[in-house]
Amino acid sequence: MTVPLSRNRDYRLLWISQALSGAGFSASMIAFPLLVLAVTGSPAMTGLVLGVEAIAQVVVGVPGGALVDRWDRKKIMLTAEAMQALAVASLVVALWLDVLSVLHMVVVAALMGVCNALFGPAESAALVRIVPQEQLSTALAMNSARGSVGQLSGTALGGFLFAVGRLVPFAFNVLTHTISFLALLFVRVPPRDVEQRPDSHLGQEMVEGLRWVWRQRHVRVTVLCAVSLNFFFSAYYIVIIVLVAGRGVSPGEIGVMAAMLGVGGVLGALLAPYLHRMVSPYTSIIGVFWALAALTPVAVFIDSGLVMGVLFFAMALLPPTANTTINTYQLLLTPDRLRGRLSGVMGMISGVSAAAGPAFGGLLVQAVSGSNAVLLIAAAIAVIAVIATLSPTMRSFPRDETVATDASEAETTKGR
């Protein structure tokens, strides 16, 4: 009899450790730009330091995924947690001694990006061995809720703790990563069979991972559609911030807007396991495209930050179900020896999209009015929705049990 996910000791430890770690990371990432600005007085330098963290994740994504497939995944998670704790602890010490430099902050930001780029694929690959296949979609949905909860709590704490003292949010981050490290020590990850390929080089393994992603028809199409959607929604978020600020919405209400997006994400993640079972994969994915296509232009008619927050809340409800569907399919389909590379490639692609989207939104809102920028983005999302709806590949998106059966048969055939 399968043990309920709520009683799976190893999954609970992993979930709790990363909820704490995520809260600490979010608190420090809110405080980081405030710290850079306080030390340098330069907004440009603030952007540089934060950009380094994002760039490091993108650059390390693919090679990091290949290393995850080579090395012990639990050891990678432990090392990443320890390195983050030590890197941020060095900030605390430098602040305490009043010797903090810009170079030091850049190095810490880069290390944080590298650790995140390694931890994400390692956790995703290990998750399939920690929870049964039939519980994977629920585990992924709960991980999504965990991320939203960590971001909400960390974002709220970061500003408050920085007001108490510059080093306080970073000391909090060190504490959460240390506790997370200790919890991960007790997580049992079943051993895996690693293919010994002495003639293989890291570059060859990276190419193999990229080829795997490209050759899987459903993976390729969903990635292209999802990345396009994420790109335009990231741009939309920046456009909305500029739009409401120009309409006189207070910074406090803008903060509530951002929080409502997170609250919607949490509720959507909690609903995702049920919706994932109730509706077909095609419906759950296409529903997100059309929901966003319908909701994005509504912002043109809203002058209240609180009402805009309700709009953001509605927009955040369905994406966790689609993400659960897509991620479950990808992990079940992909052989264990390639799961790290799959997550690394996905992380790199989403990182590029997340970085390019806001930049595009900023340029767009400078070129045209805020309302026109909203309508242009809404039109682009509608085009993506039409393409996805008409795609034969999307219409044939398989259910979990079909994927698991096909993947098992493929591995059995390979073993023969």
Side-chain angles (χ1 to χ4, degrees):
M1 182 177 177
T2 302
V3 177
L5 197 60
S6 59
R7 291 171 54 192
N8 184 323
R9 168 190 171 277
D10 298 306
Y11 178 72
R12 286 205 318 268
L13 282 172
L14 180 62
W15 195 96
I16 292 169
S17 74
Q18 291 314 293
L20 284 170
S21 181
F25 178 78
S26 295
S28 65
M29 291 310 292
I30 288 296
F32 223 149
L34 300 175
L35 177 64
V36 178
L37 195 59
V39 171
T40 67
S42 169
M45 194 59 68
T46 301
L48 171 65
V49 173
L50 292 182
V52 165
E53 192 271 339
I55 291 170
Q57 286 200 60
V58 171
V59 171
V60 177
V62 176
L67 293 174
V68 165
D69 286 334
R70 277 188 172 194
W71 299 339
D72 183 282
R73 288 158 181 173
K74 180 179 176 179
K75 290 180 180 178
I76 291 175
M77 291 190 286
L78 287 169
T79 302
E81 287 288 4
M83 290 300 297
Q84 285 214 57
L86 291 172
V88 180
S90 72
L91 277 183
V92 175
V93 173
L95 281 167
W96 181 265
L97 299 176
D98 196 23
V99 293
L100 185 63
S101 67
V102 173
L103 178 60
H104 188 169
M105 290 187 284
V106 168
V107 171
V108 170
L111 283 173
M112 291 171 73
V114 169
C115 289
N116 285 329
L118 288 170
F119 190 99
E123 183 191 13
S124 294
L127 186 65
V128 188
R129 308 193 72 81
I130 292 174
V131 304
Q133 287 187 351
E134 61 270 22
Q135 295 178 346
L136 182 59
S137 60
T138 302
L140 288 169
M142 291 302 98
N143 284 2
S144 177
R146 178 192 76 192
S148 296
V149 169
Q151 185 175 16
L152 273 173
S153 59
T155 299
L157 275 173
F160 170 75
L161 293 177
F162 190 82
V164 174
R166 290 183 181 180
L167 62 77
V168 177
F170 302 101
F172 173 71
N173 192 8
V174 174
L175 176 63
T176 57
H177 279 298
T178 301
I179 296 174
S180 176
F181 175 86
L182 294 174
L184 285 172
L185 285 173
F186 297 96
V187 174
R188 296 167 300 195
V189 180
R192 62 195 181 97
D193 297 325
V194 181
E195 293 186 2
Q196 298 298 323
R197 299 177 61 186
D199 59 334
S200 178
H201 300 289
L202 184 63
Q204 293 174 329
E205 294 172 5
M206 290 163 56
V207 171
E208 184 183 10
L210 290 167
R211 284 177 176 169
W212 166 262
V213 172
W214 184 252
R215 287 173 178 171
Q216 306 309 310
R217 183 166 54 98
H218 288 97
V219 174
R220 183 175 69 246
V221 173
T222 51
V223 165
L224 291 174
C225 290
V227 165
S228 301
L229 187 63
N230 289 338
F231 172 82
F232 284 110
F233 187 77
S234 298
Y236 178 79
Y237 183 80
I238 296 300
V239 169
I240 293 300
I241 297 298
V242 174
L243 180 66
V244 298
R247 292 178 176 176
V249 175
S250 68
E253 284 189 73
I254 293 176
V256 171
M257 282 168 43
M260 289 295 286
L261 188 65
V263 172
V266 172
L267 181 58
L270 295 176
L271 291 173
Y274 306 99
L275 294 176
H276 177 73
R277 290 193 293 268
M278 290 171 57
V279 300
S280 70
Y282 173 73
T283 302
S284 68
I285 297 171
I286 296 303
V288 172
F289 290 101
W290 283 112
L292 292 180
L295 291 172
T296 47
V298 176
V300 172
F301 308 102
I302 298 176
D303 293 321
S304 165
L306 296 178
V307 177
M308 193 73 78
V310 174
L311 179 65
F312 274 6
F313 174 85
M315 287 179 167
L317 284 175
L318 290 181
T321 300
N323 290 337
T324 296
T325 298
I326 293 170
N327 292 337
T328 302
Y329 169 80
Q330 291 175 351
L331 285 174
L332 289 178
L333 176 73
T334 306
D336 185 65
R337 66 182 184 83
L338 288 169
R339 282 179 180 142
R341 277 166 280 185
L342 168 76
S343 298
V345 172
M346 295 298 106
M348 180 200 68
I349 294 172
S350 62
V352 171
S353 176
F360 173 76
L363 292 173
L364 183 63
V365 81
Q366 282 187 354
V368 300
S369 68
S371 295
N372 286 337
V374 167
L375 294 175
L376 287 172
I377 291 174
I381 292 176
V383 170
I384 297 169
V386 170
I387 294 172
T389 302
L390 298 177
S391 167
T393 300
M394 297 294 285
R395 296 179 71 86
S396 63
F397 204 96
R399 290 185 177 272
D400 294 353
E401 53 270 21
T402 303
V403 180
T405 301
D406 291 347
S408 177
E409 290 176 354
E411 285 294 297
T412 302
T413 302
K414 182 179 177 181
R416 292 173 183 171

